[in-house]
């Protein structure tokens, strides 16, 4: 039943606890372990976005998970920073049917799953970090996560990544023949 129509006091109490984000029956008694999911409202999300973020967070609670991210590297030729999406290899965990890639900057537009403890001790003083981080919350929070040694990774669709991997392997095999 919806919380406002709960008939017994225990149902109402359970509904209120659920709306806080965790209950003892969820196994999330420690508030530091609560999963916080953010999604941009001006973006159309796939129907399974929240499920995928929760699965990723349960897979590795020490990591902040996103469905889209990027890495940056210095380009000495242009003397500027550039995006490098392939900086880290995708990790396949076949037993868990999981595929993920480390990133340096999450893109919140696609959704992010934090553990509450990941957000402890964030810096709010603009003089303590690069000025560019102040204007872009994705960079600012990603910087703070890196400062705290919290890994950020993209959770991929295992099936899609495996199909692409097999197609690439078959293409390379044909080219070698």
């Amino acid at each position: 039943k919806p919380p406002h129509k709960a008939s017994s006091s225990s149902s109402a109490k359970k509904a209120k606890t659920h709306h806080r984000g965790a209950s003892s029956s969820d196994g999330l008694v420690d508030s530091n372990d609560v999963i916080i999911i953010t999604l941009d409202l001006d973006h159309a999300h796939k129907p399974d976005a929240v499920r995928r973020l929760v699965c990723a967070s349960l897979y590795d609670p020490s990591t902040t998970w996103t469905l889209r991210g990027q890495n940056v590297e210095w380009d000495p030729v242009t003397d500027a920073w550039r995006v490098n999406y392939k900086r880290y290899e995708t990790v396949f965990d076949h037993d868990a049917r999981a595929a993920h890639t480390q990133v340096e900057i999450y893109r919140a537009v696609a959704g992010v799953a934090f553990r509450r403890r990941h957000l402890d001790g964030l810096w709010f003083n603009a003089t303590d970090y690069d000025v560019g981080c102040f204007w872009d919350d994705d960079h600012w929070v990603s910087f703070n996560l890196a400062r705290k040694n919290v890994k950020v990774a993209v959770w991929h669709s295992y099936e899609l990544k495996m199909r692409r991997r097999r197609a690439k392997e078959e293409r390379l095999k044909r080219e070698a023949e």
Side-chain angles (χ1 to χ4, degrees), residues 56-77:
S57 197
L58 294 174
Y59 174 78
D60 181 358
S62 67
T63 297
T64 288
W65 293 95
T66 184
L67 299 179
R68 191 179 311 161
Q70 64 190 41
N71 300 298
V72 293
E73 67 183 9
W74 185 256
D75 184 347
V77 175

Side-chain angles (χ1 to χ4, degrees), residues 22-172:
S23 72
S24 57
S25 65
D26 295 330
L28 298 175
V29 176
D30 183 1
S31 67
N32 284 324
D33 226 17
V34 170
I35 301 167
I36 299 170
I37 295 178
T38 64
L39 297 164
D40 278 16
L41 294 176
D42 59 347
H43 179 75
H45 299 281
K46 292 184 178 178
D48 68 342
V50 171
R51 181 192 59 78
R52 289 178 59 208
L53 288 166
V54 169
C55 287
S57 197
L58 294 174
Y59 174 78
D60 181 358
S62 67
T63 297
T64 288
W65 293 95
T66 184
L67 299 179
R68 191 179 311 161
Q70 64 190 41
N71 300 298
V72 293
E73 67 183 9
W74 185 256
D75 184 347
V77 175
T78 62
D79 198 33
W81 289 98
R82 70 175 176 200
V83 175
N84 179 350
Y85 291 103
K86 301 199 184 266
R87 185 169 184 176
Y88 301 103
E89 292 290 321
T90 298
V91 175
F92 291 90
D93 180 344
H94 300 292
D95 293 335
R97 298 188 58 77
H100 53 88
T101 308
Q102 180 178 343
V103 293
E104 294 156 350
I105 301 168
Y106 68 74
R107 301 311 303 177
V109 68
V112 182
F114 304 93
R115 291 296 176 139
R116 213 233 5 105
R117 69 178 172 273
H118 296 170
L119 304 175
D120 286 343
L122 294 185
W123 288 353
F124 293 102
N125 182 346
T127 62
D128 289 338
Y129 50 84
D130 185 85
V131 70
C133 295
F134 180 74
W135 303 111
D136 184 329
D137 61 316
D138 293 355
H139 291 151
W140 174 73
V141 177
S142 295
F143 163 80
N144 273 279
L145 293 169
R147 183 180 62 80
K148 294 173 46 122
N149 293 316
V150 174
K151 186 173 96 175
V152 178
V154 173
W155 185 258
H156 302 290
S157 163
Y158 176 80
E159 291 76 15
L160 179 62
K161 277 290 191 182
M162 285 303 296
R163 275 197 307 271
R164 288 180 179 166
R165 184 181 193 187
R166 286 186 196 113
K168 181 179 179 181
E169 289 170 353
E170 289 171 11
R171 181 180 46 82
L172 292 173

